[in-house]
Amino acid sequence: MAAAGSAGAAAGAAAGLRPAGGLRQSGVLASCFCVSLALGSCFSIGNLTTYVTSYLRAGAALPVDYADTMWLDSVLRVTMGPLYALGGLLHARLGPRPATALGGGLVLLGTALSTLAVRGPLIGLIAAYSLLQGAGIGIALASVSLTCVAWFPRRCGLALGVNMGGFTLGPVLFNWVQTGYINRTGAEPAAGGYFWQPELLRRVPAAFLLQALVQAGLLTPALLLLRAAPAHGGQPHKAGLSVRQALRTRRFYQLLLGYVPTMVAFEFFQVTWKTFGQTFISDDRLLSTVGSVSPLFALAGNLLWGQLGDATSFRSALVVASGLLTSLLCTVPAAPRLGAAAYCAWVWALAASCAALFACQLPLLRGEFGDHNAGVLLGLMNTARALFTPVTPLLARLLLLRRDGYPVLFLVQGGFALVAMCSLISVTTASDAAAARRAEAKQAEAAARP
């Protein structure tokens, strides 16, 4: 019901984007949404990690813990970065459908092979679930994001917000699939946060195959509707700077510093929110529900930040979001003292704040450096982000053995978000200048009226 309501909200936003004769535009946007929904399964890894880690410990008898299985998420994101840049190139050369089909095929292959890989060493699961899936997600996500921007150049923030709403809604579907299949009786973990029930653990390998089938059901019809935008998308094409020219500008590195630390902080919380919650909340069903509902707030955030970026500037929207993220990460250690309800509020507010990264970063780069290479430049930023992704499991390995490990980790990640906010404040982008010109034009128009 919640997922259906959110999809309806996204459809309503899409209706506001529809230009004259927009049946094809609506179909393309719906197909991008479905592809992103399938790719959003990666966001359910915080929920899946609890079952996979328990299976590897008890079912496969491996000496692993949550700090070890954080590498599943870290390697997936390391792989996504450079492959996002490749996805931008493939989109330009092959078109949206072949590029998205290649990425989607890699995602399905990686998820299906994980059914076998989870029975062996952790490195095999990392290769199947993280490397293959990360490569496929990077290629396909770049292609559908660029497709949305090309079809809706004047409202690219809101269009990308609808598309990325599918990406962030993925956990609503896949948390439900994973928990409903693996933990159908509502079993609770032991004191250490690991499940031990044999009947629950036996269902973990087959859950990967079930997830692959659901992904295939979303990707197949979506690919049939996906197509390239007409020439110029109804608006003059802005070539902008080449990749080499953009890399020589100071603004690129200021925007890079405003993006990477925030993404690292967001990804850290994404893989630890459930394990941290289990330290003071024993109800696994409640935590799974929190994880399923948080993407609904992310969807609302995608639409809000996208519209705010279209109306003002995308840099301003990212500054506000980074400030909120800093405040939330620095205060979330107080949640155990305030109870489960307060923790739910923190998780949902963090999800809404982080949505700005997905709705605003690509339009910001497009407005600053041009249409042609915006996807490649974002891929390079994601590659740089990937270099810092291993920081999270390394810090977890060092700090989670301490009694105050989680609070210290959250404060460190809050510091990352603060650095990003300061970098964004220091730069004036083309979208800021355009917003200033619009404001001046409105003032002049108002002054000219009798």
Side-chain angles (χ1 to χ4, degrees):
M1 292 289 290
S6 299
L17 291 164
R18 192 181 303 140
L23 184 60
R24 286 193 304 164
Q25 288 89 338
S26 298
V28 169
L29 188 60
S31 69
C32 291
F33 180 89
C34 289
V35 171
S36 297
L37 183 63
L39 302 180
S41 61
C42 67
F43 281 164
S44 67
I45 197 166
N47 180 64
L48 187 61
T49 294
T50 58
Y51 303 121
V52 170
T53 309
S54 300
Y55 177 83
L56 292 172
R57 287 171 63 91
L62 296 177
V64 299
D65 56 22
Y66 288 125
D68 296 311
T69 51
M70 277 186 186
W71 286 104
L72 287 168
D73 181 73
S74 297
V75 173
L76 185 146
R77 295 180 189 278
V78 165
T79 309
M80 282 175 60
L83 271 296
Y84 194 104
L86 177 61
L89 292 173
L90 291 174
H91 174 88
R93 295 193 178 188
L94 303 178
R97 187 179 295 170
T100 305
L102 174 61
L106 290 173
V107 169
L108 295 179
L109 180 62
T111 308
L113 287 178
S114 298
T115 302
L116 302 175
V118 74
R119 304 174 190 271
L122 179 60
I123 188 66
L125 184 60
I126 290 174
Y129 192 83
S130 301
L131 286 175
L132 284 175
Q133 267 215 119
I137 291 170
I139 293 172
L141 186 61
S143 183
V144 295
S145 297
L146 291 168
T147 301
C148 281
V149 170
W151 276 97
F152 298 95
R154 297 183 186 276
R155 302 297 302 278
C156 59
L158 183 56
L160 198 58
V162 172
N163 172 60
M164 297 307 295
F167 195 49
T168 52
L169 276 176
V172 174
L173 174 61
F174 290 99
N175 281 357
W176 176 77
V177 170
Q178 293 161 2
T179 302
Y181 177 73
I182 298 173
N183 193 7
R184 59 187 65 172
T185 61
E188 295 184 358
Y194 302 103
F195 292 95
W196 56 271
Q197 297 85 348
E199 65 279 4
L200 181 151
L201 298 177
R202 279 196 296 268
R203 290 190 283 267
V204 171
F208 289 102
L209 185 58
L210 177 61
Q211 180 170 311
L213 292 174
V214 175
Q215 289 170 325
L218 290 167
L219 289 169
T220 302
L223 287 171
L224 299 176
L225 293 173
L226 199 61
R227 64 187 69 192
H232 309 314
Q235 178 171 295
H237 179 75
K238 180 182 176 184
L241 303 180
S242 68
V243 173
R244 181 175 296 181
Q245 289 170 331
L247 293 178
R248 291 176 179 172
T249 65
R250 179 182 177 183
R251 293 192 309 276
F252 175 82
Y253 296 98
Q254 288 175 303
L255 296 177
L256 176 69
L257 189 58
Y259 177 72
V260 170
T262 311
M263 283 296 294
V264 172
F266 162 63
E267 291 165 359
F268 164 77
F269 189 79
Q270 191 176 35
V271 297
T272 56
W273 70 266
K274 189 173 183 182
T275 56
F276 174 60
Q278 285 176 332
T279 62
F280 60 97
I281 300 173
S282 61
D283 189 343
D284 183 62
R285 285 279 182 178
L286 173 61
L287 289 173
S288 294
T289 301
V290 170
S292 296
V293 172
S294 62
L296 308 184
F297 287 85
L299 171 62
N302 275 310
L303 301 177
L304 172 66
W305 298 118
Q307 288 183 303
L308 181 61
D310 284 330
T312 58
S313 78
F314 294 105
R315 184 197 67 91
S316 299
L318 287 169
V319 167
V320 175
S322 298
L324 287 173
L325 184 60
T326 301
S327 301
L328 291 166
L329 284 170
C330 290
T331 55
V332 74
R337 294 192 295 273
L338 298 178
Y343 188 60
C344 293
W346 259 294
V347 173
W348 294 334
L350 277 158
S353 301
C354 293
L357 295 167
F358 302 104
C360 297
Q361 192 69 24
L362 182 61
L364 175 60
L365 293 175
R366 174 180 174 268
E368 190 66 18
F369 301 110
D371 298 329
H372 188 65
N373 293 309
V376 177
L377 292 173
L378 183 55
L380 293 176
M381 286 190 172
N382 282 322
T383 302
R385 179 213 74 201
L387 297 177
F388 290 91
T389 299
V391 169
T392 295
L394 290 175
L395 284 175
R397 171 59 62 192
L398 291 173
L399 295 176
L400 288 185
L401 297 177
R402 295 162 47 113
R403 192 180 189 89
D404 59 348
Y406 278 112
V408 173
L409 279 171
F410 288 130
L411 290 174
V412 170
Q413 303 300 328
F416 287 172
L418 179 61
V419 169
M421 182 182 69
C422 293
S423 181
L424 288 168
I425 290 173
S426 71
V427 61
T428 300
T429 65
S431 60
D432 292 301
R437 287 194 297 270
R438 289 195 301 268
E440 291 175 359
K442 288 182 180 179
Q443 290 177 353
E445 183 181 350
R449 289 173 184 170

